[in-house]
Amino acid sequence: RSTSNGALIQIMLQFAYNYQHMATLIKDTHNLFQTLQSGGFSDQQAEALKAAFDSIDLSELATKDDIKDLRIEIYKVTTAQTLIIIGAMVALAQVL
């Protein structure tokens, strides 16, 4: 049984849609294997994709909390910069 690239993408997107977190998607490779087989992939094709997912390193993947923390830091920096600029403009206005 052969499956086209378009079918592969469709099955993978459907599989990914069912999971909220990428780490869960990658770690649940048994379910991935079964999903691919039920979608028409041969055992060899499904096993190759499973092996590819097993090799993906997610340790550096940013979490929602990481992004939230980064947004807070950006807000703090831009607020401080704005206050410095306002202070410099007030000081300059007093000099002139």
Side-chain angles (χ1 to χ4, degrees):
R1 297 179 298 183
S2 179
T3 305
S4 70
N5 287 341
L8 166 66
I9 293 169
Q10 182 68 27
I11 290 169
M12 295 301 295
L13 288 175
Q14 181 180 3
F15 183 78
Y17 181 77
N18 293 326
Y19 290 89
Q20 293 181 351
H21 301 288
M22 185 68 162
T24 302
L25 167 69
I26 300 304
K27 289 182 181 177
D28 192 4
T29 54
H30 179 69
N31 192 16
L32 169 65
F33 187 83
Q34 289 179 328
T35 301
L36 291 171
Q37 284 184 316
S38 68
F41 284 77
S42 69
D43 288 352
Q44 186 178 13
Q45 289 171 317
E47 187 60 42
L49 284 169
K50 178 185 167 296
F53 278 120
D54 285 343
S55 69
I56 295 174
D57 178 18
L58 298 175
S59 64
E60 297 294 321
L61 194 63
T63 65
K64 288 181 180 181
D65 286 338
D66 293 336
I67 294 170
K68 181 181 176 184
D69 292 344
L70 183 59
R71 285 182 177 168
I72 290 170
E73 286 301 312
I74 291 170
Y75 177 77
K76 288 178 183 178
V77 168
T78 55
T79 300
Q81 288 175 340
T82 301
L83 292 174
I84 290 169
I85 291 169
I86 290 171
M89 291 175 65
V90 168
L92 184 59
Q94 288 177 352
V95 171
L96 298 176

